[in-house]
């Protein structure tokens, strides 16, 4: 039964690759993405292009737009001291792009950049659960935890819920956050000092 379902799915995807209406809608979505500077539409387009296995250049163009637009918005929010609202889908998409970049930076072992990104996210997100999660990420980088160890021993992927609008972020952990903070007190102090400088700018 699973094989038949898989074959049907594959056929549908193959049909999409040559479906004129679907391809025209992708071009329209691309135009709207650029005109509205919409990260929501950017992710919709990116997902669709990946689904139909589009050319790498097309995928990279959309991915580059998403990252650049997200960091432009972040810069504006920092300058105006505005916070991202996790009840607004466009804000969620913006934070998602920055977070995914931070995670990639962490996995590439660029610890200074990763730490700074997680602390900035902690500062600009007006949502306690995500703020705490970003602090756990930042402290893990600061105390020398390797990315693979963070994913295996600290992050808890078993509670992933794709229906959650914040499912793109690691917010569940195998460790008790309060104990984690206590055991990493010196890093918490350093992080708070860096955040204090950011708040005073």
């Amino acid at each position: 039964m699973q094989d038949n379902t898989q074959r049907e799915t594959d056929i549908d995807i193959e049909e999409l690759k040559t479906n004129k209406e679907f391809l025209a809608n992708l071009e329209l979505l691309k135009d709207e993405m650029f005109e509205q500077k919409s990260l929501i539409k950017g992710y919709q387009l990116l997902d669709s292009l990946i689904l139909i296995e589009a050319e790498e250049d097309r995928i990279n163009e959309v991915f580059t737009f998403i990252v650049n637009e997200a960091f432009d918005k972040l810069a504006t929010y920092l300058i105006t001291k505005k916070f991202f609202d996790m009840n607004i889908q466009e804000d969620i998409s913006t934070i998602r792009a920055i977070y995914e970049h931070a995670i990639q930076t962490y996995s590439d072992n660029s610890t200074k950049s990763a730490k700074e990104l997680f602390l900035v996210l902690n500062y600009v997100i007006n949502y306690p659960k995500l703020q705490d999660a970003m602090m756990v990420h930042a402290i893990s980088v600061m105390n020398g935890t390797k990315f693979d160890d963070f994913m295996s021993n600290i992050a808890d992927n078993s509670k992933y819920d794709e229906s959650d609008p914040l499912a793109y972020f690691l917010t569940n952990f195998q460790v008790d956050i309060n104990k984690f903070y206590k055991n990493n007190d010196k890093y918490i102090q350093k992080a708070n000092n860096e955040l204090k400088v950011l708040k005073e700018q």
Side-chain angles (χ1 to χ4, degrees):
M1 189 71 177
Q2 267 188 325
D3 289 342
N4 289 336
T5 303
Q6 186 63 48
R7 283 196 209 100
E8 288 172 11
T9 304
D10 290 342
I11 291 169
D12 289 342
I13 293 171
E14 288 302 316
E15 287 178 354
L16 285 177
K17 292 178 181 180
T18 56
N19 184 298
K20 291 182 179 179
E21 183 179 354
F22 175 76
L23 296 176
N25 284 336
L26 288 189
E27 287 302 312
L28 179 62
L29 186 59
K30 178 182 174 181
D31 291 342
E32 291 175 345
M33 175 191 79
F34 281 118
E35 288 170 7
Q36 301 170 19
K37 295 186 175 182
S38 171
L39 291 175
I40 295 175
K41 292 180 187 268
Y43 273 114
Q44 289 173 347
L45 181 57
L46 184 66
D47 290 343
S48 297
L49 291 176
I50 291 172
L51 179 68
I52 63 171
E53 300 173 336
E55 296 89 345
E56 190 174 341
D57 287 349
R58 293 181 68 192
I59 292 173
N60 287 340
E61 180 187 19
V62 178
F63 181 75
T64 299
F65 165 84
I66 289 172
V67 173
N68 289 344
E69 188 62 31
F71 276 92
D72 284 348
K73 288 183 179 181
L74 174 63
T76 300
Y77 276 45
L78 288 173
I79 291 169
T80 59
K81 296 190 180 298
K82 184 179 178 182
F83 299 100
F84 287 93
D85 186 340
M86 294 297 98
N87 293 309
I88 299 173
Q89 188 59 48
E90 193 67 40
D91 277 7
I92 293 175
S93 295
T94 304
I95 289 297
R96 172 188 171 185
I98 297 164
Y99 175 71
E100 288 175 346
H101 184 75
I103 284 289
Q104 182 62 50
T105 303
Y106 187 9
S107 71
D108 290 340
N109 204 32
S110 299
T111 53
K112 184 176 184 296
S113 296
K115 176 205 69 175
E116 290 172 352
L117 285 171
F118 289 133
L119 287 178
V120 166
L121 287 171
N122 170 275
Y123 171 69
V124 297
I125 297 171
N126 190 17
Y127 193 87
K129 184 176 182 179
L130 266 182
Q131 285 180 311
D132 285 340
M134 293 306 106
M135 183 59 77
V136 172
H137 283 67
I139 298 308
S140 297
V141 175
M142 293 171 76
N143 70 16
T145 301
K146 297 297 183 184
F147 176 75
D148 288 344
D149 292 332
F150 172 80
M151 295 300 294
S152 299
N153 304 322
I154 296 178
D156 186 354
N157 293 301
S158 67
K159 296 178 182 177
Y160 176 78
D161 178 6
E162 64 180 19
S163 66
D164 185 346
L166 301 180
Y168 306 110
F169 309 93
L170 292 170
T171 57
N172 296 303
F173 302 98
Q174 300 176 49
V175 297
D176 179 273
I177 291 181
N178 290 325
K179 288 182 180 178
F180 180 82
Y181 284 168
K182 188 175 181 180
N183 292 336
N184 290 278
D185 183 63
K186 68 177 181 179
Y187 299 109
I188 289 286
Q189 291 183 36
K190 287 182 180 179
N192 286 332
N193 285 336
E194 291 192 32
L195 286 170
K196 185 179 178 182
V197 172
L198 186 61
K199 292 171 184 177
E200 289 173 349
Q201 286 180 350

